[in-house]
């Protein structure tokens, strides 16, 4: 029992007082948001919390082109701490989030992924807000869903192939008509997460979303067992200019520029070793939720043009996923298909993934265990196609 | 005076109420555990705290084989912050600990040691608990003693030569009969702290401990001036398979695989440059405390077998230490001897360390100053043996 | 309304009680110092807070020696979190500060700048205090001003050319006669921030300051619109021995040893590739504030002597800045001039910067927006002198 409880029982404070003072308790806890501290004058508020994603992965590699070593891996996939709140006024909010798991041995020459959302947001109106600092570039619906609110163990590989991910910049965003329409538009450094470059090429991104049946949060799986149907459709655009320096991109800190998994990184040989490359990316997406059923899909289209050679690289891809709660709010099964053609002018280079997932939610997305199975199909021009199988188990807790 | 004090004095709340509400104060402080926040429904609790070990070391190198430069070094030895608590239920606990001092210049290509204990623990019973995430591999008593609860400025070099230290995995552990017996058994990634590898070789560790006179915590020095004698005996086992890749181990993030101080790392030339090495390590240990006196010792035995060459590397070593409080709970003197033979099939390679320590405890292990002197004896086959002297002074505060 | 407010209104507690209990609230907030937690017995206190400096920089490079690419850069300049307080006694304080922005891509091989102030301070008297751990080496007034309390977007390049910045060591410091005189003297590792070396060369620094009209904090701009004039004069001394190892200094983690911007680093070719270099640095400085006007200046003189060659490198420089609040406490304009001769025995190598700034303070230094313009003049012996222009805009929030 708290002091407030005792005083109410004794009649020292009234029911109304009780409600009033509980609103301004110096310490409170809200599920998914950690512990919150509020100054007595209510001009300052700060919350501290975190999340853990602990993962086991077994990968059974296809031996079609010779014997492969399977891998059995325990991993701290994401270990996050956040510190956010408002200061001086409720209209001036800040967020600071770290992903401690990025300081691992695989990533030892790149600590720039430690710091994630790090910004100050000023709300002029709900419809017009300014955000300065580092945030996710507003491109791709699934990227804007927090990794703690996914339907599968992780995002689709197609989203990772097209998204820019984090960058530093200045954005204007807002919600119109109570969330029926939302928009974001911003200019960014253009080199990615906590990364700087000696250039005057900045990137630009814009996204618009319509929620005709009412505001719909960026969160997968219908954990709330929505009584009324919810639907959301969106469109995203992103442009950037990146220099090819001696055959390597000047940055690999943008997800689509990663040489192993990004459309631009994989197709880099299209361009001269020292030319600037203009990229334009487009995405359309939709999501739906009702009575425990949810579905989501996106189509991406991207093109890169060399400024010197005029060579062109074109990529496209999509994913579609759906899930249903067998036990409402608790046990969900889901399926997903993803397709990526990283270079439309080349044949025999298609990648597809077919996935099935089972998730148990103890406290919605805040405490859950997820398992998924993935068939990773990869075409090769010069050797046999492969079908690797990946089995993942992940425990997630937000505290 | 707190509000609770004032209300008790005025008779608004009773003595019983006072005790009750103080149990659920939103903020409390407990020595060694930092500030603790509890949600009003007592379903969530989080603690924030940290510790600092600030050290000065003077090393007087033996000039037997030519003139050596002595070193005078100030060091942030360990700067830790922790965040732990329970969530959703008191049976579901989590811990997240960082060692900020690892982000130093000596370690600049390896940030993986930043994140230490990072796990979720679920207690089914006291006797059976599951732990998923990163923790110390349960091998070696002294490794399981927190670095803040040591009798000397740091652990024995023998413990460091045999212990795996941190790894990510899944463990089952518990205490039986109120702590008379404790056990831990787990499967781990096998590559060490925040480190992953492309292999299906996982490691396994198990440890059992008996405390016949009652539960005895993993803590050196009898700071509590125990009225009743306490004794503890334990045994540990660890196995792992590590690949030798072009003459270097695939991981150096396991303490025993360190090329300068680990038994396996030092004896690496025994094996072919590209073979897998199976390792088996064994340890037995005992500890005793009574009336300000304490003693502790361990013996380690380890063997590595090359899968291709069938070559074998065998190492063993031990340490024994004892301390006594001249001023009970405050001033302690201690001595330690450590012996390491990193390769039993080679002569003239023994290392020994003889150490003496004086410690002043202002608030048990939470606030103390320790000084120790070490004679580091090293045998060499091809040159004179050396006896380096090391003088260390360390201030420790847990806040 | 807080519980305390309600109980006072109802007459349950008196006005005096109210004041008393508000002093020992478990959670409080103080501008610029974050949220503070106090244990019920008032023996322990901890504060958590942070600051962000979000910056946009446009640099217009002079094309005098051929076409240059201008740069347009968004940057998380400084993202800090701090954790400080007292433990066991109000005389034993600790501070731990991190700069998360240092884990960026430009700095990827050097994480040692993550940890900043990290020390334990013991106050014997106000006049005599011991500090053990990492702190700013007490050399240069402007270095001792927090980066959150500057008049311009950042420090003068002249200060950066001469200051050592952070190091680990033991210092004695105090304030005499209520702050009319202050002093600091310490011995440090000598290799800089979280950096160790195998050597017995430690560095030494001392600083004395006089504030004849009353204590004057290290803070630029007269945000308090001081009714009485404040003046401060100071002198600093620093010595260190650094080894030249194959033409590179054994550390570049001391600001003055940086090869691009430090006086010693820039003049390194004066010395033999493997000799030890003795450095001696001197600084004098003054500051003044009255009715919204403020002025500050420093002169630095430094000399390096090669132990083997007896070659000598001599550098000097100064800056002077002044500002005035057009709207008291809110809108300030300021100007600064800085001059650096990194090698007095060489001609045509002078660097100067002329700067103008406009700052708007929403809540003193805690919430402000600053813009400045800099003309960067650089002499060259073999090509045309250049005049680059730099435009910076920075938002700062302390939360």
């Amino acid at each position: 029992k708290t002091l407030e409880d005792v005083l109410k029982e004794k009649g020292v404070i009234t029911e109304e007082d009780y409600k009033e003072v509980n609103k301004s308790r110096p310490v409170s806890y809200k599920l998914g948001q950690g512990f919150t501290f509020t100054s007595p004058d209510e001009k300052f508020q700060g919350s501290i919390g975190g999340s853990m994603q602990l993962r086991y992965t077994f990968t059974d590699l296809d031996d079609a082109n010779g014997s492969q070593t399977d891998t059995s891996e325990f991993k701290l996939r994401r270990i996050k701490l956040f510190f956010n709140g408002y200061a001086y006024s409720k209209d001036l909010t800040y967020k600071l989030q770290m992903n401690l798991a990025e300081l691992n041995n695989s990533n030892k020459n790149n600590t720039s992924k430690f710091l994630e959302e790090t910004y100050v947001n000023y709300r002029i109106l709900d419809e017009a807000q300014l955000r300065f600092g580092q945030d996710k570039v507003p491109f791709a619906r699934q990227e804007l869903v927090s990794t703690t609110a996914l339907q599968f163990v992780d995002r689709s590989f197609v989203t990772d192939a097209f998204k820019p991910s984090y960058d530093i910049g200045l954005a204007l965003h807002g919600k119109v008509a109570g969330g029926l329409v939302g928009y974001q538009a911003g200019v960014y450094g253009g080199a990615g997460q906590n990364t700087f470059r000696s250039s005057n090429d900045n990137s630009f991104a814009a996204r618009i979303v319509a929620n005709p049946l009412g505001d719909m949060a960026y969160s997968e799986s219908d954990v709330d067992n929505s009584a009324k149907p919810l639907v959301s459709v969106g469109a995203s655009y992103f442009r950037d200019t990146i220099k090819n320096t001696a055959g390597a991109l000047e940055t690999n800190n943008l997800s689509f520029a990663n040489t192993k998994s990004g459309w631009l990184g994989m197709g880099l040989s299209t361009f001269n070793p020292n030319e600037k490359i203009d990229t334009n990316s487009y995405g359309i997406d939709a999501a739906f939720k009702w009575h425990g059923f949810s579905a989501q899909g996106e189509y991406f289209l991207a093109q890169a043009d060399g400024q010197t050679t005029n060579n062109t690289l074109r990529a496209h891809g999509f994913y579609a996923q759906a899930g249903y709660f067998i036990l409402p709010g608790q046990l969900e099964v889901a399926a997903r298909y993803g397709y990526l053609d990283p270079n439309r002018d080349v044949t025999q280079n298609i990648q597809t993934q077919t996935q099935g997932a089972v998730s148990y939610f103890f406290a919605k997305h805040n405490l859950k265990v997820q398992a998924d199975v993935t068939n990773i199909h990869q075409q090769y021009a010069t050797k046999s196609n492969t079908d690797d199988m990946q089995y993942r188990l992940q425990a997630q807790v937000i505290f």
Side-chain angles (χ1 to χ4, degrees), chain A:
Chain A
K1 279 195 290 188
T2 64
L3 183 58
E4 288 82 357
D5 293 331
V6 170
L7 294 174
K8 192 186 67 175
E9 278 173 24
K10 290 189 185 296
V12 176
I13 60 172
T14 65
E15 187 71 37
E16 266 171 51
D17 292 335
Y18 181 78
K19 279 182 196 157
E20 175 94 18
V21 303
N22 267 339
K23 266 196 291 182
S24 71
R25 285 174 65 93
V27 182
S28 64
Y29 185 85
K30 201 171 160 194
L31 211 59
Q33 295 181 19
F35 287 94
T36 297
F37 312 108
T38 309
S39 68
D41 64 5
E42 294 183 43
K43 279 192 174 173
F44 294 85
Q45 188 172 87
S47 297
I48 297 181
S51 64
M52 292 191 186
Q53 286 186 343
L54 308 170
R55 185 183 295 183
Y56 173 75
T57 305
F58 186 85
T59 309
D60 183 352
L61 294 175
D62 192 334
D63 293 331
N65 301 299
S67 179
Q68 299 285 325
T69 302
D70 300 337
T71 62
S72 166
E73 185 184 77
F74 290 92
K75 192 166 187 172
L76 305 174
R77 182 54 186 91
R78 294 184 182 89
I79 305 294
K80 301 197 182 184
L81 282 179
F82 58 79
F83 199 98
N84 56 32
Y86 58 78
Y88 309 96
S89 147
K90 285 175 188 172
D91 293 326
L92 189 72
T93 52
Y94 60 88
K95 180 165 188 184
L96 197 161
Q97 183 168 288
M98 298 165 260
N99 185 353
L100 311 177
E102 289 292 344
L103 297 185
N104 60 39
N105 210 53
S106 310
N107 220 3
K108 63 184 177 181
N109 283 318
N110 190 355
T111 58
S112 60
K113 294 192 172 175
F114 180 78
L115 204 49
E116 301 192 335
E117 283 91 345
T118 309
Y119 59 74
V120 171
N121 190 84
Y122 184 65
R123 185 181 60 170
I124 305 162
L125 304 162
D126 283 343
E127 289 81 1
Q129 311 193 29
L130 281 172
R131 184 169 289 181
F132 191 21
Q134 180 166 285
D135 196 10
K136 287 174 182 170
V137 174
F139 183 86
R141 172 180 292 270
Q142 195 166 46
E143 170 65 4
L144 300 182
V145 174
S146 164
T147 50
T148 58
L150 298 176
Q151 194 160 36
F152 287 74
V153 168
D154 219 322
R155 293 193 181 93
S156 169
F157 81 109
V158 181
T159 304
D160 292 340
F162 288 95
K163 73 180 186 186
S165 200
Y166 291 99
D167 206 347
I168 308 164
L170 179 66
L172 178 72
H173 65 105
K175 284 186 176 188
V176 181
L180 294 188
V181 174
Y183 73 93
Q184 303 180 61
V187 56
Y188 298 90
Q193 193 172 0
N194 222 344
T195 301
F196 321 119
R197 59 177 176 179
S198 299
S199 129
N200 56 5
D201 297 309
N202 293 127
S203 70
F204 172 78
R207 175 169 169 79
I208 188 159
V209 65
N211 306 310
L213 307 181
D215 197 4
M216 184 177 174
Y218 283 117
S219 175
E220 300 183 359
S221 299
D222 189 20
V223 290
D224 296 316
N225 203 25
S226 312
K228 292 201 306 179
L230 287 170
V231 65
S232 180
V233 293
S236 309
Y237 169 69
F238 175 72
R239 59 153 280 115
D240 198 2
T241 297
I242 302 175
K243 201 178 177 192
N244 198 357
T245 304
L249 290 173
E250 64 178 324
T251 179
N252 61 1
N253 241 10
L254 292 162
S255 189
F256 70 88
N258 188 294
T259 49
K260 286 190 178 161
S261 55
W263 70 270
L264 181 63
M266 288 191 276
L268 196 57
S269 60
T270 306
F271 303 101
N272 262 14
N274 279 297
E275 72 177 323
K276 282 192 173 181
I277 303 164
D278 292 319
T279 71
N280 284 278
S281 303
Y282 309 85
I284 54 168
D285 54 84
F288 176 77
K289 284 184 185 180
W290 197 28
H291 279 318
F293 173 80
S294 61
Q296 182 174 312
E298 298 195 61
Y299 174 74
F300 301 106
L301 182 68
Q303 181 168 329
D305 298 283
Q307 287 189 358
T308 310
T309 58
N310 282 322
N311 287 350
T312 294
L313 172 69
R314 298 178 310 137
H316 72 156
F318 72 92
Y319 74 87
Q321 67 186 46
Y324 182 68
F325 275 88
I326 298 172
L327 299 174
Q330 292 184 281
L331 182 66
E332 189 194 38
V333 291
R336 178 162 68 193
Y337 179 77
Y339 169 99
L340 172 66
D341 183 350
N343 189 339
R344 296 171 70 181
D345 300 317
V346 165
T347 54
Q348 284 294 99
N349 69 333
I350 304 297
Q351 298 176 31
T352 63
Q353 292 194 7
T354 312
Q355 300 179 279
V358 179
S359 304
Y360 194 88
F361 299 79
F362 296 91
K364 299 188 182 175
H365 284 297
N366 301 295
L367 183 64
K368 64 179 178 182
V369 175
Q370 295 184 290
D372 65 14
V373 181
T374 306
N375 175 289
I376 302 171
H377 178 77
Q378 169 76 58
Q379 291 183 347
Y380 293 100
T382 56
K383 54 181 181 177
S384 301
N385 296 343
T386 54
D387 281 278
D388 300 329
M389 292 299 294
Q390 191 168 67
Y391 306 85
R392 303 188 289 191
L393 176 69
Q394 183 166 282
Q396 174 176 305
V397 56
I398 306 184
F399 55 84

